[in-house]
Amino acid sequence: MRYAGAVILLLALASVFSVRSAAQPRSVGGLFSFTGIDVSYQHQTSDSTFFEISAGIDLCGVLDGSAMYPGAKAGFSYNFVFWDHEFESGLLSTYAGIGFAAGYVRQTNGIKGPMAALLGKIGLEYAFRVPVILSVDFSPLLGMQIDGTAAGASLRMYIDGLSKAFYPKLGIRYCF
């Protein structure tokens, strides 16, 4: 009897979240690029807007052998769908957005350290009638990085955020 209040509260919360998830589709999946691998979560907030949260490893210098360990970064973007077209097999959409990113990364010139940046995003995605989305996007980062050496720390431009922005990120997501 003393747990009845907690059970009722849990059932009420579960019903609110189940109604909310039916009204706002979500997806989770991976983004793959020559610059890194990310895990991504998207949440649709309306018919024409969604946000995306991603976290992953930054492979700058690891693939060419100049670095032993990858970096890590995370990002958030708020995106707007500005064109879509429905086909028999699914929905093709184009989107763009803005957000922020942070992490501990290495640049091509060997500088490694914490980074913070503004994130831009432009992309194309195809949502199939089955719960799968395929996407390709470009995500430039405009930011700064702290270069910590034995002589002291200095603030530098995060050049790889712009120079490697032309590498596309290929995504595959599961919708639920």
Side-chain angles (χ1 to χ4, degrees):
M1 210 46 182
R2 65 184 216 204
Y3 296 110
V7 170
I8 291 172
L9 179 63
L10 286 174
L11 289 174
L13 286 173
S15 68
V16 166
F17 286 121
S18 67
V19 169
R20 184 178 172 106
S21 68
Q24 298 177 345
R26 300 174 300 243
S27 64
V28 66
L31 299 171
F32 307 95
S33 175
F34 292 114
T35 59
I37 301 170
D38 295 350
V39 174
S40 169
Y41 170 77
Q42 285 184 348
H43 190 100
Q44 187 173 347
T45 55
S46 73
D47 287 341
S48 62
T49 60
F50 66 93
F51 67 83
E52 180 178 356
I53 300 170
S54 63
I57 58 173
D58 183 52
L59 296 176
C60 183
V62 174
L63 296 178
D64 65 7
S66 63
M68 202 167 170
Y69 302 107
K73 63 183 171 182
F76 172 86
S77 66
Y78 193 79
N79 303 285
F80 302 90
V81 175
F82 56 88
W83 179 83
D84 60 10
H85 183 74
E86 191 155 349
F87 293 95
E88 194 171 308
S89 60
L91 180 68
L92 179 67
S93 303
T94 56
Y95 59 90
I98 190 165
F100 58 90
Y104 187 88
V105 296
R106 174 186 301 273
Q107 293 198 58
T108 307
N109 60 9
I111 296 172
K112 62 183 176 211
M115 172 273 303
L118 291 175
L119 166 78
K121 186 174 284 269
I122 187 163
L124 177 74
E125 74 177 20
Y126 194 83
F128 292 93
R129 298 256 182 243
V130 295
V132 174
I133 296 174
L134 295 178
S135 67
V136 60
D137 65 41
F138 300 91
S139 302
L141 298 171
L142 177 62
M144 302 301 285
Q145 183 176 18
I146 297 174
D147 177 18
T149 62
S154 63
L155 192 60
R156 298 180 185 253
M157 179 91 169
Y158 180 52
I159 301 294
D160 282 1
L162 294 174
S163 67
K164 302 214 175 188
F166 60 88
Y167 293 142
K169 288 184 177 180
L170 302 175
I172 184 165
R173 293 184 181 86
Y174 171 74
C175 300
F176 59 97

